[in-house]
Amino acid sequence: MTSNPEAVTDGPMTYPERFSALPEYAFPRLRSLLDHHDPGGEIVHMTIGEPKHAFPAWVADIIQENAAGFGKYPPNDGAPELLESLSAWIARRYDVTVPTDQIMALNGTREGLFNAAIALCPEETDRGEKPVILIPNPFYQVYAVAAATVNADAVFVPATAQTGHLPDFASLPAEILNRTEIAYMCSPANPQGAVADRDYWANLIALAEKYDFRIFADECYSEIYRDVVPTGALTVAHEGGADPERVVLFNSLSKRSNLPGLRSGVVAGGPETIRRVRQLRAYAGAPLPLPLQMAAAKVWADEVHVAENRALYQEKFVIADQVFAGLDGYMPPQAGFFLWLPVEDGEQAALKLWTETGVRVLPGAYLSRDVAGKNPGKAYIRVAMVAPKQEMQRGLTQIRDCLF
């Protein structure tokens, strides 16, 4: 199996030039595509992965109880209460003991996924070559911006139906892997909903051990799944006795607890990894306000609301399966809350849906990069199942009737 990757190199360009050369972000592109057309019916928003289920009501009470903390500079790496809660959650979720000095509280995982590349990617490899950062294709857009920021060659590795919607990193040539410093890996995958199993993680970790690169394991959708708990990279790395610096874990409360606005994320890894990430935060970071850290500590410690939230999404999985039963190419997501629906052309499908029904979805090409003249997201649309069930079912039914 070959993944046909291609390095996107920026040559001698300055950072502003590299940044301006990046494709326009997905949602401004979507507005340009749709907003000068009238919707064809009552609007149903199914584009942004912003949870709509209720978060625990007691969160506001904890913030109020700790409101005096707004008058203090917050602890840069995380308050002791929050770090202890995060360490306990990692132990419960991944069956791995990570001490608090190997954990840092994040202002959302986007901050961590971006800044960790700055802290950990060298200007040159040990061989004196330009470093490579591996990125699944399609991908969360911050990965590409991070690679551009550190002037690494971004290699986009297709995650298609042929590869189980997970990137086949092992198919890359040795000359790429020898230059690799970081591999971003999202499981459960955004947008496809595929889950890396134990063997996948073990093989990727073995590859990283062989070629000496770090894995940035973006597991922000790990608590939303059907029946089987997604295996975590940290668990497999610990079981296999991998170098403690090999896997860097990222997770957050945004999807797990329906709290994207609380901005509570976590990064955990080896001692040297976290030392360097913390050092960058000391100079350039923006830690969470103390009252939010106190609330986050309680939310990470509670699993009751997480199970209730997961049950709501499991009901939505069933609805989606019923609506799209028999659709050729439909892949029931294993986890997360997106549908990755096959169409002839994602932009044309999104425009048709908007003008004929008012349903708003995201073309898959906006989450992918053209490689060797091909875009693995072009023939897909991403549909977020975050709306209330009745509204979501109406939107999915309109998608089926309009496009299929």
Side-chain angles (χ1 to χ4, degrees):
M1 181 187 303
T2 177
S3 58
N4 191 27
E6 179 177 286
V8 176
T9 60
D10 298 315
M13 291 192 294
T14 65
Y15 172 70
E17 290 169 334
R18 296 197 304 273
F19 184 78
S20 64
L22 292 169
E24 187 178 18
Y25 195 65
F27 295 105
R29 290 179 71 184
L30 182 68
R31 290 191 289 271
S32 297
L33 176 69
L34 302 183
D35 284 2
H36 58 285
H37 298 278
D38 292 329
E42 184 179 354
I43 296 174
V44 181
H45 290 283
M46 307 188 83
T47 57
I48 300 176
E50 183 178 68
K52 301 299 182 185
H53 298 163
F55 57 79
W58 41 262
V59 170
D61 296 334
I62 297 172
I63 294 173
Q64 179 60 40
E65 291 167 6
N66 291 275
F70 283 119
K72 301 178 181 179
Y73 285 114
N76 206 44
D77 303 330
E81 296 91 336
L82 177 53
L83 293 176
E84 290 167 5
S85 182
L86 289 167
S87 180
W89 178 77
I90 290 171
R92 291 195 311 274
R93 178 60 178 82
Y94 297 101
D95 198 24
V96 178
T97 299
V98 180
T100 57
D101 61 359
Q102 291 177 221
I103 298 170
M104 193 178 81
L106 295 173
N107 193 335
T109 50
R110 185 187 304 193
E111 176 211 8
L113 290 162
F114 179 78
N115 284 349
I118 298 174
L120 297 168
C121 187
E123 293 182 6
E124 292 185 344
T125 69
D126 291 342
R127 300 166 181 251
E129 299 173 304
K130 190 177 181 182
V132 161
I133 291 181
L134 306 181
I135 298 175
N137 197 17
F139 58 97
Y140 182 34
Q141 304 297 290
V142 73
Y143 306 163
V145 176
T149 300
V150 300
N151 198 26
D153 283 345
V155 173
F156 296 90
V157 186
T160 65
Q162 290 71 36
T163 64
H165 289 290
L166 298 171
D168 183 12
F169 293 119
S171 69
L172 296 170
E175 56 264 31
I176 293 292
L177 293 170
N178 278 324
R179 294 168 51 209
T180 298
E181 294 290 340
I182 293 165
Y184 282 101
M185 177 59 197
C186 184
S187 176
N190 169 17
Q192 309 98 317
V195 175
D197 61 18
R198 192 173 298 272
D199 286 343
Y200 183 96
W201 280 124
N203 290 334
L204 178 55
I205 292 166
L207 192 72
E209 293 269 74
K210 179 178 178 180
Y211 289 98
D212 193 22
F213 60 82
R214 283 180 170 88
I215 299 165
F216 283 9
D218 179 357
E219 300 187 25
C220 289
Y221 296 88
S222 66
E223 307 312 287
I224 301 172
Y225 51 84
R226 287 179 181 258
D227 305 307
V228 180
V229 180
T231 301
L234 207 60
T235 302
V236 180
H238 178 73
E239 290 174 350
D243 182 338
E245 308 294 339
R246 192 62 58 206
V247 170
V248 188
L249 169 70
F250 299 87
N251 215 311
S252 86
L253 294 181
S254 295
K255 280 71 178 178
R256 172 189 183 269
S257 302
N258 304 308
L259 282 165
L262 191 64
R263 309 310 303 141
S264 178
V266 59
V267 56
E272 177 62 12
T273 293
I274 299 304
R275 183 194 70 78
R276 290 163 63 179
V277 173
R278 282 182 164 182
Q279 184 179 36
L280 178 61
R281 163 67 80 77
Y283 287 101
L288 283 180
L290 192 55
L292 303 189
Q293 293 197 40
M294 294 300 100
K298 298 293 186 182
V299 178
W300 284 106
D302 182 71
E303 297 293 340
V304 173
H305 76 279
V306 181
E308 293 171 349
N309 182 50
R310 182 162 50 245
L312 294 175
Y313 282 114
Q314 288 169 340
E315 293 175 2
K316 291 181 174 183
F317 290 147
V318 173
I319 292 171
D321 291 348
Q322 292 171 344
V323 170
F324 295 108
L327 173 63
D328 186 32
Y330 171 66
M331 183 188 73
Q334 300 173 55
F337 51 53
F338 294 115
L339 297 180
W340 189 236
L341 296 180
V343 293
E344 186 172 339
D345 181 280
E347 280 193 324
Q348 293 178 9
L351 184 58
K352 178 180 173 66
L353 271 174
W354 175 247
T355 57
E356 295 187 11
T357 71
V359 176
R360 202 172 177 96
V361 300
L362 190 67
Y366 293 4
L367 298 169
S368 309
R369 184 68 63 88
D370 290 347
V371 173
K374 296 182 179 179
N375 186 308
K378 179 177 174 60
Y380 290 88
I381 54 174
R382 191 187 77 171
V383 181
M385 298 189 293
V386 294
K389 278 194 301 184
Q390 288 186 334
E391 181 181 348
M392 186 206 75
Q393 185 166 13
R394 176 166 59 88
L396 295 185
T397 302
Q398 288 176 300
I399 292 171
R400 181 197 64 197
D401 294 345
C402 180
L403 299 181
F404 306 109

